[in-house]
């Protein structure tokens, strides 16, 4: 109990400082602009990572059915002693969950594994619905979205959205929506600026969220990035995360190392100049360090 109280006290002190910027989604829900990614966190490492991150002021956590750690995350958050309402939790339905009945069941299963009454954000993880044709894939994606809209209306999710959706995927979805996606989570960094997608999402009031902000480590040794980071007296990782913040894009860096988690969240005491943002944007080569959904039917 003493450990839990200590975590709660440190968390409350950091919250009172009020440095955590939030974005407001298209349905009025507030989402912290930085969160902790949990991909590949498993077992006891989840408990340790969550304990450390909450004491540092993290309130936003990103998981997925595919990550196989929803249960551990839910238990770790409960163990902190911090009220559920103070956390923002995202999870995602996997490719095999596409289709109305499958998505309906999978959404409820996510809540059971998390041990929660609701999730703050539920996403379609990827547009690949397993169909043999574009028409079949689109039909399955629309069925999934209908199930998620019902989940939202039941109060089981505060917001719903998509991940790895291109403009083409969004254009196929939006005309059939009762509820426009609140978020589109995609790979984004200076080597993959996603400018056209960002503009499209802003036009339709869809919040863009970035994963792999460091390009799976490739960008932290980029000469332009390292020299610019030195100028701001920041690490390359901090500069790359701040790059997303400057564009009003949510970032979810992944780490289980306490020192790195502290470094990643310490990015609200500087700004990148317009000239330097232009320089970083000029690095774009449309390079994907993860999957490229462009050719997904």
């Amino acid at each position: 109990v003493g450990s839990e109280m200590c975590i709660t006290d440190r968390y409350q002190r950091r919250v009172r400082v009020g440095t955590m910027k939030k974005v407001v989604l298209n349905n009025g829900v507030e989402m912290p602009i930085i969160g902790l990614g949990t991909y590949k966190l498993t077992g006891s490492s989840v408990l340790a990572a969550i304990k450390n991150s909450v004491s540092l002021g993290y309130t936003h956590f990103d998981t997925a059915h595919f990550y196989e750690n929803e249960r551990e995350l839910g238990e770790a958050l409960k163990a902190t002693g911090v009220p559920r309402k103070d956390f923002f939790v995202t999870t995602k339905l996997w490719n095999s969950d596409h289709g109305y009945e499958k998505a309906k069941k999978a959404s409820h299963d996510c809540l059971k594994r998390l041990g929660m009454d609701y999730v703050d954000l539920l996403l379609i993880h990827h547009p690949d619905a397993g169909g043999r044709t574009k028409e079949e894939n689109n039909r399955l994606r629309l069925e999934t979205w209908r199930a998620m809209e019902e989940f939202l209306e039941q109060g089981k999710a505060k917001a719903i959205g998509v991940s790895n959706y291109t403009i083409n995927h969004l254009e196929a979805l939006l005309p059939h929506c009762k509820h426009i996606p609140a978020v589109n989570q995609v790979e984004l960094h200076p080597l993959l600026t996603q400018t056209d997608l960002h503009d499209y999402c802003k036009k339709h009031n869809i919040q863009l969220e970035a994963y792999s902000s460091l390009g799976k480590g490739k960008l932290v040794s980029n000469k332009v990035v390292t020299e610019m980071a030195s100028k701001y007296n920041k690490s390359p990782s901090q500069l790359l995360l701040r790059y997303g913040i400057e564009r009003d894009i949510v970032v979810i860096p992944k780490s289980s190392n306490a020192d790195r988690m502290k470094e990643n969240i310490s990015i609200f005491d500087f700004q990148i100049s317009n000239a330097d943002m232009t320089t970083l944007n000029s690095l774009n080569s449309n390079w994907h360090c993860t999957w490229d959904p462009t050719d997904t039917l």
Side-chain angles (χ1 to χ4, degrees):
V1 174
S3 176
E4 289 180 9
M5 288 300 294
C6 186
I7 294 170
T8 306
D9 290 345
R10 288 199 299 272
Y11 161 80
Q12 288 174 341
R13 284 199 298 272
R14 290 185 180 277
V15 167
R16 282 198 293 270
V17 172
T19 56
M20 180 61 70
K21 180 180 176 182
K22 294 183 179 181
V23 297
V24 180
L25 304 181
N26 58 24
N27 64 349
V29 169
E30 293 187 344
M31 180 180 189
I33 201 165
I34 189 168
L36 182 73
T38 66
Y39 180 49
K40 291 190 176 179
L41 280 180
T42 57
S44 60
S45 66
V46 179
L47 183 63
I50 299 309
K51 179 180 177 180
N52 287 328
S53 63
V54 170
S55 71
L56 290 167
Y58 284 84
T59 59
H60 170 189
F61 301 91
D62 181 272
T63 184
H65 181 185
F66 180 69
Y67 300 171
E68 298 184 339
N69 61 13
E70 290 168 307
R71 182 170 283 104
E72 291 88 344
L73 174 63
E75 291 172 352
L77 290 175
K78 188 175 182 180
T80 65
V82 176
R84 167 68 182 93
K85 65 179 177 62
D86 290 348
F87 290 130
F88 189 101
V89 178
T90 299
T91 193
K92 313 175 196 76
L93 304 184
W94 185 234
N95 300 7
S96 56
D97 298 327
H98 274 289
Y100 177 75
E101 292 296 340
K102 285 184 177 180
K104 189 174 179 179
K105 181 180 185 300
S107 300
H108 287 278
D109 287 346
C110 284
L111 286 187
K112 289 177 185 176
R113 287 190 295 269
L114 285 163
M116 297 176 179
D117 296 325
Y118 69 93
V119 67
D120 296 275
L121 179 62
L122 179 67
L123 302 178
I124 293 176
H125 203 151
H126 196 279
D128 184 359
R132 291 184 294 273
T133 65
K134 181 178 180 179
E135 291 72 23
E136 186 179 2
N137 264 333
N138 194 47
R139 176 183 61 78
L140 288 168
R141 286 193 292 262
L142 292 178
E143 286 185 10
T144 302
W145 190 252
R146 180 162 61 91
M148 289 170 60
E149 288 181 323
E150 292 178 3
F151 200 65
L152 174 72
E153 291 167 356
Q154 293 164 4
K156 301 296 186 181
K158 300 294 185 184
I160 55 176
V162 296
S163 181
N164 298 297
Y165 267 45
T166 64
I167 292 174
N168 286 339
H169 297 130
L170 289 169
E171 285 182 335
L173 172 63
L174 295 189
H176 305 281
C177 288
K178 284 173 64 181
H179 302 277
I180 299 296
V183 170
N184 185 16
Q185 185 186 115
V186 298
E187 179 186 340
L188 189 149
H189 43 71
L191 295 179
L192 183 66
T193 57
Q194 300 272 27
T195 303
D196 290 343
L197 179 62
H198 192 201
D199 289 343
Y200 182 90
C201 286
K202 284 190 289 186
K203 178 181 177 182
H204 293 278
N205 204 14
I206 300 170
Q207 175 65 46
L208 210 58
E209 179 178 15
Y211 67 80
S212 295
S213 296
L214 313 185
K216 283 196 171 178
K218 179 173 180 176
L219 274 160
V220 296
S221 58
N222 179 283
K223 185 178 180 182
V224 173
V225 172
T226 57
E227 290 181 356
M228 190 180 295
S230 296
K231 184 175 81 169
Y232 289 99
N233 197 28
K234 292 291 180 179
S235 71
S237 297
Q238 288 174 315
L239 182 82
L240 291 164
L241 292 169
R242 184 69 204 188
Y243 167 81
I245 304 294
E246 295 291 357
R247 297 177 64 190
D248 292 319
I249 293 169
V250 176
V251 294
I252 45 170
K254 176 176 66 74
S255 182
S256 59
N257 178 282
D259 290 337
R260 196 156 294 125
M261 285 191 284
K262 182 177 181 180
E263 176 184 308
N264 289 344
I265 205 172
S266 302
I267 56 174
F268 297 98
D269 58 351
F270 79 109
Q271 292 180 306
I272 303 174
S273 71
N274 290 338
D276 285 341
M277 285 296 291
T278 299
T279 298
L280 290 173
N281 283 329
S282 72
L283 297 177
N284 182 56
S285 61
N286 294 321
W287 174 76
H288 289 261
C289 66
T290 59
W291 45 30
D292 181 354
T294 304
D295 295 327
T296 300
L297 297 174

